[in-house]
Amino acid sequence: MRKKIPSSSALQAFEAAARHGSFARAADELSLTEGAISRQIARLESFLDVALFERIGNRVRLLPNGERYASQVRQMLEQLDRESQYLMGQPEGGASLDIAVLPTFATHWLIPRLAGFQRRHPHITVHLSERMEPFVLAGSGFDACIHFEHPAWSGAHTCPLLQETLVPVCHPRMLDGQGPAPSLDRLPRLHRRQNPEAWQRYAQDTGTAIARPATGARYDLHAMLIEAALAGLGVALVPRLYVEAELTQGRLVAPWPEGRTVSKTFCLVLPGPVTLCAEPVQAFARWLLEEAAPAACCPTPAPQSRAPASARGA
């Protein structure tokens, strides 16, 4: 059965006219005459058998059906443009993957390791997009997602990767004159806005006395918390896997115990079992599981002691 799809020229003319609220401005953008825009939209309205604009003298106004259709057409044209750009930039014989990922996981864990995947699979280009909330993977345009375990993934296949264990960290200079592991009540604490009870749960989990666990500045992302801690603004409760490099380099210190039950599990979300996925997806999944295996199998390091004076000044 032939699909009822308008011409791309008519859709582009309509989207531009709807966005500008003017046939003349749409004509300028598309290097056409105003009459050509008017004819394209008239053909589209005839094809749909629906009025999209109200004509009032020389002015036009989108009707409710037109507003709804314009939003849908804009999304589809933008997606078509993105997919076309991807294909135009694809090397001959190459492949690409679109991966949705939590932003801080991407910047502090995944991206620093991606060079290893590229060396092993130089013909596969990995595109990363930020997604904070779970979504329906099927039909999303993504080949896979890296996120927390969540009931929303029940229709997909999940592979556990890493455990998010939270640990308080701060800049070494905040400990000057405070002793090796000062009371957290004596230091400003930083919070992640989406997890306002984290400090309270941490105190209960570790038996740490915190008189007012909710006080302190709030940030949207763990990446912001880490930068705030590096700037000496306070103690941040963040996943250890995000700050391993900073702890090793002495740019941050963690003299307090970890919150072992204040945690979540990162997982790779796929449309189906790894063996049934396309070859590029299989290659990425195998590599990612290998990268996560050492961290998942190794025991958690003991809390780091106070850094030496040379590191504290870094």
Side-chain angles (χ1 to χ4, degrees):
M1 179 178 176
R2 184 177 179 182
K3 297 184 183 299
K4 296 185 181 298
I5 301 175
S7 74
S8 61
S9 298
L11 291 175
Q12 286 179 299
F14 166 67
E15 189 281 326
R19 179 162 32 86
H20 289 295
S22 165
F23 287 6
R25 291 190 197 133
D28 289 340
E29 178 181 311
L30 299 176
S31 300
L32 297 171
T33 65
E34 186 174 347
I37 294 291
S38 180
R39 288 190 294 274
Q40 289 281 12
I41 291 174
R43 291 191 190 103
L44 179 61
E45 290 176 320
S46 176
F47 178 87
L48 298 171
D49 196 21
V50 172
L52 301 172
F53 286 94
E54 181 182 20
R55 278 79 168 173
I56 309 172
N58 293 328
R59 296 182 294 115
V60 295
R61 183 173 65 88
L62 268 178
L63 294 169
N65 281 333
E67 291 180 0
R68 196 161 42 246
Y69 193 51
S71 175
Q72 296 166 343
V73 168
R74 186 171 300 115
Q75 292 178 26
M76 288 184 287
L77 288 176
E78 288 174 352
Q79 182 174 353
L80 182 60
D81 179 65
R82 286 194 299 270
E83 295 300 327
S84 300
Q85 294 285 352
Y86 285 164
L87 283 177
M88 291 166 66
Q90 190 86 310
E92 187 175 353
S96 66
L97 293 173
D98 282 277
I99 309 296
V101 60
L102 290 160
T104 308
F105 187 91
T107 56
H108 284 72
W109 195 90
L110 180 60
I111 291 175
R113 292 168 167 79
L114 266 182
F117 178 79
Q118 290 182 337
R119 285 192 294 269
R120 189 184 300 185
H121 303 283
H123 66 292
I124 301 177
T125 302
V126 179
H127 305 290
L128 299 181
S129 297
E130 171 190 320
R131 287 296 182 276
M132 290 290 292
E133 300 296 332
F135 58 94
V136 178
L137 185 60
S140 66
F142 291 107
D143 297 292
C145 177
I146 302 172
H147 211 281
F148 293 124
E149 286 186 336
H150 193 278
W153 307 121
S154 59
H157 184 81
T158 58
C159 305
L161 295 173
L162 298 160
Q163 193 74 9
E164 177 201 66
T165 303
L166 300 183
V167 59
V169 298
C170 70
H171 193 281
R173 68 169 171 264
M174 293 199 71
L175 302 188
D176 288 343
Q178 298 283 340
S183 168
L184 287 167
D185 269 334
R186 294 161 58 186
L187 298 170
R189 290 181 301 281
L190 309 174
H191 303 259
R192 183 167 177 262
R193 195 181 303 276
Q194 289 86 344
N195 194 5
E197 298 180 354
W199 276 110
Q200 181 176 347
R201 293 173 57 206
Y202 171 82
Q204 294 169 348
D205 181 32
T206 60
T208 303
I210 302 178
R212 300 178 63 189
T215 59
R218 284 164 169 72
Y219 298 83
D220 276 347
L221 302 176
H222 277 132
M224 295 178 179
L225 280 176
I226 294 167
E227 290 302 317
L230 287 167
L233 297 179
V235 183
L237 189 60
V238 297
R240 175 178 279 275
L241 65 92
Y242 289 166
V243 292
E244 288 292 359
E246 288 82 358
L247 291 172
T248 300
Q249 297 161 7
R251 299 171 62 208
L252 291 174
V253 291
W256 302 280
E258 291 183 357
R260 296 185 181 278
T261 64
V262 188
S263 63
K264 296 179 182 178
T265 301
F266 289 100
C267 63
L268 173 65
V269 186
L270 299 169
V274 176
T275 54
L276 299 182
C277 292
E279 190 279 329
V281 179
Q282 290 190 39
F284 182 79
R286 287 193 296 266
W287 169 81
L288 187 64
L289 290 167
E290 288 174 13
E291 287 293 316
C297 296
C298 292
T300 303
Q304 181 172 325
S305 60
R306 186 178 178 181
S310 58
R312 292 203 304 272

